[in-house]
Amino acid sequence: MDRLADRTLSAANIAADARQAPPRKADVVIVGGGIIGSSIAYHLALEGVTDVVVCERNTLTSGTTWHAAGLVAGARGTITMTELASYGRAFYSTLGALSGLDVGFSAPGSLSLARRPERADELAYACDIADHCGIEARMVDVSQAQRLWPLLDPDGIVAGLHFPGDGYVNPGYAALALAKSAHALGVALREDCGVTAIDVDGGRVLGVQTTRGAIGARTVVLAGGLWTRDLAATVGVAVPLYAAEHVHVRSAPLGADVTGLPVLRDVDNSYYIRAEADCLLLGAFEPRGLPRASTRIGIDGHATFEPDWDHIAGIKAAAECAVPALTDAGYDRFINAPESFTPDTSFVMGQTAEIGGLFVAAGMNSQGIIYAPGVGREMARWIRQGSPCFDSSAVDVKRFSPHQANRRYLHERTRESLGRLYAMHWPGYQSQTARGVRLSPLHSRHRELGAVMGEVNGLERPLWYGAPALEDAYDFRRPGWHDAVGREHAAVREGVGIIDLSGFAKFEVAGAGALNALQRASTADVDLPIDGAAYTLFLNDAGGIEADGTITRVAPDRFLVVTPSFSRHRMLWHLRRHATAEGAVVVDATAGMGVIGVFGPQSRNLMSRVSPEDWSGTAQPYFTGRCVEIGDGFAYALRVSFTGELGYEVYCDSDLAMNVLDALLVGGEDLGVVMIGYLALDSLRLEKGYRHLGHDMGPVDDPRSVGLGFAVAWDKSVDFTGRLALAGRGGPTSQAIHVAVADPAVRLWGEETVYAGDEPVGRITSGTFGHTLGRSVGIATVNARVDPHEDELSVRVRGARHLLEASTRAFYDPSGERVRA
């Protein structure tokens, strides 16, 4: 059964009451009746939440689902995303039997092609991840690829990756089957019921207004595809997604049986091909997409755009060259319809930061069919339990900066986002579009000094200084930045380096209730002396790690909270909720405050040259701060370091930051002071074993399992968020260890499988080259029963095993004496 692009599907075929007025109240309202909303509804019902209403303003599947190609894949680029996708692949194989509807599921496999060695490396890494997750996969040579796909011209192919269990499903019927199954469990389906407004009071959702009346609800899920951004914006919620044209065309019948052909992904030529009856469907992910504002897209369902053969001419020609049968057959259908994309090409899901009870699941980046079952399951668990039950770091809606929901910004970024699905997935890749939007107060100096710039949350920051250019540096084995980063790394280890840390999220929490608010918001005991600082975690209700950072008490009723750059949005609202309850206020000081890191054994010497203060260890012990005179102004100096060396973070007004930096550069000339970028910082912190949020710890991690149990003050008098759940978890089932690869030619990036003997026991959570150690170094999470000092550990990289040295202590300066002297 094919029937792709079926515009006749409706809830009226599966629910007699689909056109009736909606109930006046429900536990959950889901906005959008596509495959995402239907999957969430079904999985909520499985969780026992059946008082659910799905509101669709047209008919089910009429947004994006109806025109999807229906590709189903079991493996993706990371372990977390693979686990979501593989659940979906297995689920679709049973959905027909579950629902009684033929969903057209077929599993002829998939074949991804590499036309250059670098792409073969990427596919080999993907094969490793699939193997880690138990997904059958194998690298194939040219002759094997041609046997799998007899219509394929092998010219120019270097290698391939075969997934025997992949395939496709009819997306419209799959969504209808999910909706039917949800309805059978008690979920209400309503068509011609458009949501026009979201009711909010006191920072919580109360329900929705629809074209057929109000519905009261304590939980609302926005699963409205490309229209989600605009509806969320009406209540002040930032959801960065934007529409683009997405094209697939169908050949005329080929006169040959093609139903057993695997899905073909010729990623270097930006297209895929799947069978549709006795035809071939050719889909394009062109490198430069065509964004479309939502105001230019019809709202009556089944929206399409005019065919644009010229726009896909290059891709069509490449496909016809690789599969000559396409040229002979010609084409009988052209579908050009909208899909929604996000700035980093990962979808958005989860509870919004701004409004309690308001959830989002949208911006699927043309992968909604692949992820719908997994997203539905995890959203249902999240809603039911109040916190994510999987590592949501890469897809949490709160990961973005609010400015990234700006429509001009999104329009420009979306030109790139569509093509990124099939572009090279380089380690450390930096987007090329919508750049130069958020700038550090030191930005112009970075450019003068030859910085190669990257971005995080739309904020420009230096990666390294000097050659090579970014576009010449990408590589899986030895990236072009290796030597430049090594020089910066050595400067910090041996002398002194300076880094712009202005992107840190910075908040001032003040008022009579500030202490109580922070005691409840964080795990550390922050009833500190004035100018005392503490490293702390911020947990969710389930005891998982939402963020980490430092809290410094700068006055009896005033605190400085500093967390990672990309946590800014979530932390602002997390702190505000606690502060409001305690009668305190939170001020976001991120943009108004520059931060300059000065690190290395000569950092104290350098600080004494630009400031008249006493910089001895006695005058300013580790983890303390103070106001200092520096350059031609004043700043707050915090003695902390993320490098494994003596160091200081200097916080000053943004308009003084350039003056302070210049004073440091002049004062350190004869010390060999060097500006360093974030890649050197990553190498330095990994040698020292410092954890990185989003890689080495996340929203489902027990602090004890990632080696951060010391940051939890169990004995403080005030209960902190997540304490009860954390106390009930029992002993950790995993542990974090430090690893280094014996072979210096092998590069770690993260996500590689760790073995004890021949048994897979964990994975690398983050890795890079450690320039002091002279080999790759990383942090791994492994089974708690592993003995890193006794077991023989190895790591899989591109299909080969390599011995690891492992330790429970960081390899560099484990005593920490130099840092705390």
Side-chain angles (χ1 to χ4, degrees):
M1 188 273 286
D2 286 288
R3 292 178 286 164
L4 287 179
D6 191 336
R7 304 175 193 232
T8 68
L9 302 180
S10 169
N13 299 328
I14 57 174
D17 58 353
R19 300 298 172 85
Q20 295 180 8
R24 296 280 69 90
K25 64 178 182 177
D27 288 339
V28 182
V29 171
I30 299 172
V31 183
I35 197 163
I36 300 298
S38 298
S39 179
I40 295 169
Y42 170 70
H43 285 90
L44 275 170
L46 283 186
E47 289 282 322
V49 182
T50 58
D51 187 9
V52 178
V53 183
V54 177
C55 295
E56 167 55 51
R57 70 179 170 191
N58 298 302
T59 56
L60 296 190
T61 82
S62 63
T64 296
T65 302
W66 75 273
H67 66 77
L71 305 188
V72 176
R76 311 311 290 156
T78 68
I79 291 168
T80 295
M81 303 306 279
T82 294
E83 289 170 346
L84 288 175
S86 62
Y87 171 76
R89 193 176 77 173
F91 181 85
Y92 286 128
S93 70
T94 64
L95 181 56
L98 172 71
S99 64
L101 294 179
D102 181 359
V103 300
F105 177 75
S106 179
S110 72
L111 175 64
S112 295
L113 303 179
R115 295 184 179 274
R116 47 181 171 150
E118 299 89 348
R119 179 72 77 173
D121 281 348
E122 179 185 331
L123 295 184
Y125 273 103
C127 190
D128 288 351
I129 288 174
D131 181 77
H132 179 96
C133 296
I135 305 296
E136 184 181 359
R138 63 182 180 121
M139 295 294 293
V140 298
D141 60 23
V142 178
S143 63
Q144 291 169 317
Q146 194 170 26
R147 284 197 295 272
L148 288 165
W149 237 87
L151 299 180
L152 180 66
D153 185 330
D155 186 49
I157 297 172
V158 173
L161 176 57
H162 180 219
F163 292 103
D166 284 356
Y168 38 82
V169 70
N170 185 299
Y173 283 85
L176 200 66
L178 278 160
K180 180 183 177 183
S181 301
H183 184 65
L185 294 173
V187 170
L189 308 175
R190 293 295 185 268
E191 293 184 331
D192 297 324
C193 185
V195 171
T196 58
I198 304 167
D199 295 331
V200 175
D201 184 59
R204 267 211 68 89
V205 72
L206 297 181
V208 298
Q209 299 291 324
T210 80
T211 53
R212 306 184 68 183
I215 308 174
R218 296 288 287 173
T219 300
V220 172
V221 183
L222 305 184
L226 65 92
W227 290 279
T228 298
R229 178 211 169 275
D230 297 348
L231 182 57
T234 63
V235 289
V237 172
V239 179
L241 59 83
Y242 202 79
E245 298 182 15
H246 179 49
V247 171
H248 58 74
V249 298
R250 185 181 65 189
S251 76
L254 272 68
D257 183 10
V258 296
T259 55
L261 290 177
V263 175
L264 182 70
R265 291 185 175 90
D266 191 349
V267 285
D268 286 316
N269 284 320
S270 306
Y271 70 83
Y272 61 85
I273 296 175
R274 60 151 286 190
E276 183 184 347
D278 57 350
C279 308
L280 292 178
L281 186 150
L282 166 66
F285 286 108
E286 61 272 26
R288 189 163 179 82
L290 296 176
R292 286 275 191 158
S294 60
T295 53
R296 296 178 57 208
I297 300 171
I299 63 172
D300 296 328
H302 306 104
T304 59
F305 310 118
E306 289 298 312
D308 189 347
W309 287 101
D310 289 341
H311 184 65
I312 65 164
I315 291 173
K316 175 174 168 288
E320 291 172 347
C321 182
V323 184
L326 287 170
T327 306
D328 300 333
Y331 303 89
D332 66 7
R333 186 181 71 202
F334 190 117
I335 291 181
N336 184 10
E339 302 256 11
S340 59
F341 296 84
T342 62
D344 62 1
T345 66
S346 289
F347 54 83
V348 289
M349 66 180 288
Q351 186 166 206
T352 64
E354 299 91 336
I355 297 176
L358 182 63
F359 288 76
V360 171
M364 303 308 294
N365 299 277
S366 283
Q367 299 177 89
I369 308 306
I370 291 173
Y371 288 119
V375 167
R377 180 186 65 178
E378 296 304 331
M379 280 290 291
R381 291 173 173 176
W382 200 331
I383 292 167
R384 182 80 173 82
Q385 300 185 35
S387 298
C389 298
F390 76 112
D391 183 3
S392 60
S393 304
V395 296
D396 194 320
V397 65
K398 298 183 287 293
R399 71 188 184 272
F400 290 108
S401 166
H403 90 274
Q404 291 177 286
N406 173 276
R407 282 173 284 195
R408 189 172 101 161
Y409 170 91
L410 286 168
H411 190 278
E412 179 61 21
R413 176 56 61 85
T414 303
R415 296 184 189 278
E416 178 182 4
S417 295
L418 184 141
R420 282 304 307 156
L421 270 73
Y422 279 16
M424 285 293 299
H425 295 93
W426 296 112
Y429 176 78
Q430 300 294 316
S431 295
Q432 301 173 38
T433 53
R435 294 293 298 274
V437 178
R438 286 181 64 208
L439 304 179
S440 153
L442 305 174
H443 181 77
S444 63
R445 191 67 79 241
H446 297 316
R447 300 313 298 258
E448 291 171 10
L449 294 172
V452 175
M453 303 299 290
E455 67 159 355
V456 61
N457 284 67
L459 174 71
E460 299 290 319
R461 63 181 190 175
L463 300 176
W464 71 86
Y465 292 80
L470 184 60
E471 58 271 20
D472 299 325
Y474 294 125
D475 193 75
F476 283 92
R477 302 182 184 222
R478 183 185 169 93
W481 60 69
H482 181 92
D483 291 340
V485 171
R487 289 190 293 271
E488 295 172 12
H489 179 113
V492 174
R493 288 283 182 251
E494 300 165 9
V496 59
I498 297 174
I499 184 169
D500 181 3
L501 300 173
S502 300
F504 278 170
K506 303 175 286 289
F507 310 96
E508 184 176 305
V509 182
L515 175 60
N516 277 346
L518 290 175
Q519 289 285 57
R520 295 189 184 280
S522 68
T523 60
D525 186 348
V526 295
D527 191 1
L528 301 160
I530 306 304
D531 291 327
Y535 174 76
T536 190
L537 305 174
F538 301 90
L539 307 183
N540 54 41
D541 289 338
I545 303 171
E546 291 288 330
D548 71 330
T550 58
I551 296 179
T552 305
R553 192 173 198 169
V554 296
D557 60 353
R558 190 159 58 92
F559 296 80
L560 174 65
V561 181
V562 181
T563 63
S565 300
F566 63 90
S567 69
R568 179 185 180 186
H569 190 51
R570 80 171 63 237
M571 283 305 302
L572 174 62
W573 292 92
H574 177 78
L575 293 172
R576 278 182 175 171
R577 287 195 176 97
H578 284 282
T580 299
E582 298 291 341
V585 295
V586 178
V587 176
D588 185 350
T590 303
M593 190 181 291
V595 186
I596 300 170
V598 184
F599 303 120
Q602 290 293 330
S603 58
R604 180 175 286 148
N605 188 1
L606 175 55
M607 294 298 285
S608 68
R609 296 182 178 196
V610 297
S611 169
E613 318 294 344
D614 178 0
W615 290 94
S616 67
T618 303
Q620 186 170 6
Y622 192 54
F623 261 89
T624 63
R626 58 179 176 157
C627 291
V628 298
E629 193 173 340
I630 186 169
D632 296 306
F634 296 89
Y636 192 83
L638 188 60
R639 190 178 157 199
V640 294
S641 174
F642 197 53
T643 66
E645 301 293 343
L646 174 69
Y648 305 87
E649 292 173 359
V650 181
Y651 294 76
C652 59
D653 291 344
S654 288
D655 54 5
L656 284 173
M658 193 78 82
N659 177 272
V660 173
L661 174 62
D662 289 344
L664 288 163
L665 290 173
V666 171
E669 283 182 358
D670 66 321
L671 297 175
V673 66
V674 168
M675 292 293 296
I676 73 167
Y678 276 80
L679 296 187
L681 183 63
D682 196 46
S683 175
L684 292 160
R685 69 97 185 170
L686 272 169
E687 287 188 337
K688 181 58 182 170
Y690 290 134
R691 277 52 166 175
H692 187 271
L693 182 66
H695 293 96
D696 308 309
M697 54 180 157
V700 293
D701 288 319
D702 184 322
R704 297 162 294 190
S705 69
V706 297
L708 297 177
F710 68 88
V712 179
W714 292 102
D715 57 349
K716 69 177 179 179
S717 58
V718 178
D719 277 345
F720 54 84
T721 299
R723 178 176 183 167
L724 184 62
L726 190 59
R729 283 193 175 200
T733 58
S734 64
Q735 60 178 316
I737 62 172
H738 308 278
V739 297
V741 186
D743 184 349
V746 176
R747 189 93 184 197
L748 294 180
W749 295 106
E751 299 289 283
E752 297 90 352
T753 302
V754 175
Y755 295 81
D758 290 326
E759 179 188 1
V761 293
R763 65 185 176 91
I764 306 294
T765 54
S766 59
T768 191
F769 193 85
H771 290 271
T772 305
L773 300 176
R775 50 197 170 133
S776 276
V777 62
I779 295 172
T781 180
V782 298
N783 193 291
R785 70 175 184 272
V786 170
D787 185 338
H789 301 289
E790 296 295 331
D791 293 333
E792 182 176 274
L793 301 183
S794 61
V795 63
R796 173 171 165 161
V797 178
R798 299 191 306 279
R801 298 266 205 92
H802 303 274
L803 286 176
L804 288 174
E805 180 184 349
S807 174
T808 54
R809 303 185 72 183
F811 293 110
Y812 180 76
D813 196 16
S815 69
E817 292 174 358
R818 178 186 290 176
V819 181
R820 293 175 174 81

